[in-house]
Amino acid sequence: MKVFFILNGLQTVIDVDPDRRVVDILREDLRLTGTKEGCGSGECGACSILVDGESRLSCLMLAAQLEGKKVITVEGLASGKNMHPVQEAFVEHGAVQCGFCTPGMVMATVDLLSRNAEPTRSEIREAISGNLCRCTGYQKIVDAVEVAAKAMKNEGLRVKNGGEG
């Protein structure tokens, strides 16, 4: 089956079995290894990507579900050599520990900030509740999300519907 979609701003066509998981296509076929597979059953959030601007678990999506969608992986957030404000905030505020959960946390945060430019700490915790950090560093992650929200508000940045912002 041929699947047409936009991946990180580029028209993409893949010829795959319609029942292949999206996480496998991204990592194995397209070599976008920033998307991690943790549990493989939708429990940890490590495989989070944005599909039409909303966070989705790529381990629970099948190839056919990509048809006509706009997909952003963690690799698609940066603009050239400039990191996305969420990525910058995670680095600058120590929200990156072992790094395994970080791409999923970043994608969940980008989704949150596209819907809510000024989330409370409680709303941040709720938004990232589906993303597990085995290093238990949630405090710094919440701090980084607050900083990213302020930076994005100041810069007038929002990511919605596939990356326009």
Side-chain angles (χ1 to χ4, degrees):
M1 163 183 202
K2 287 196 179 200
V3 179
F4 297 81
F5 63 106
I6 296 173
L7 177 61
N8 296 333
L10 300 174
Q11 291 273 349
T12 303
V13 180
I14 55 173
D15 191 5
V16 296
D17 291 332
D19 61 347
R20 280 197 65 211
R21 297 180 322 154
V22 171
V23 68
D24 297 328
I25 293 166
L26 293 172
R27 291 184 55 80
E28 296 168 11
D29 299 0
L30 301 173
R31 304 288 181 214
L32 296 172
T33 57
T35 301
K36 306 298 183 199
E37 181 175 6
C39 66
S41 61
E43 300 288 327
C44 73
C47 66
S48 297
I49 59 175
L50 297 180
V51 177
D52 288 343
E54 296 182 5
S55 182
R56 295 284 184 252
L57 300 170
S58 63
C59 73
L60 298 181
M61 287 186 68
L62 300 178
Q65 293 175 293
L66 292 174
E67 180 66 32
K69 303 293 186 186
K70 292 181 181 178
V71 177
I72 299 177
T73 66
V74 72
E75 291 92 343
L77 289 179
S79 177
K81 292 184 177 185
N82 299 321
M83 289 188 287
H84 187 280
V86 172
Q87 293 170 311
E88 281 185 21
F90 270 61
V91 170
E92 291 177 10
H93 296 278
V96 176
Q97 295 181 47
C98 80
F100 194 81
C101 73
T102 303
M105 291 280 189
V106 166
M107 301 311 279
T109 299
V110 170
D111 178 28
L112 167 67
L113 298 180
S114 73
R115 293 179 285 107
N116 182 352
E118 298 180 70
T120 65
R121 291 182 73 80
S122 176
E123 290 169 330
I124 293 168
R125 285 188 184 94
E126 173 67 26
I128 63 170
S129 65
N131 296 76
L132 301 179
C133 172
R134 295 181 191 267
C135 302
T136 67
Y138 292 98
Q139 186 67 35
K140 289 186 175 188
I141 292 169
V142 173
D143 293 346
V145 174
E146 282 187 318
V147 170
K150 288 176 186 163
M152 290 175 68
K153 184 177 177 190
N154 291 340
E155 294 177 22
L157 292 175
R158 300 194 65 157
V159 174
K160 189 71 177 167
N161 296 327
E164 294 92 32

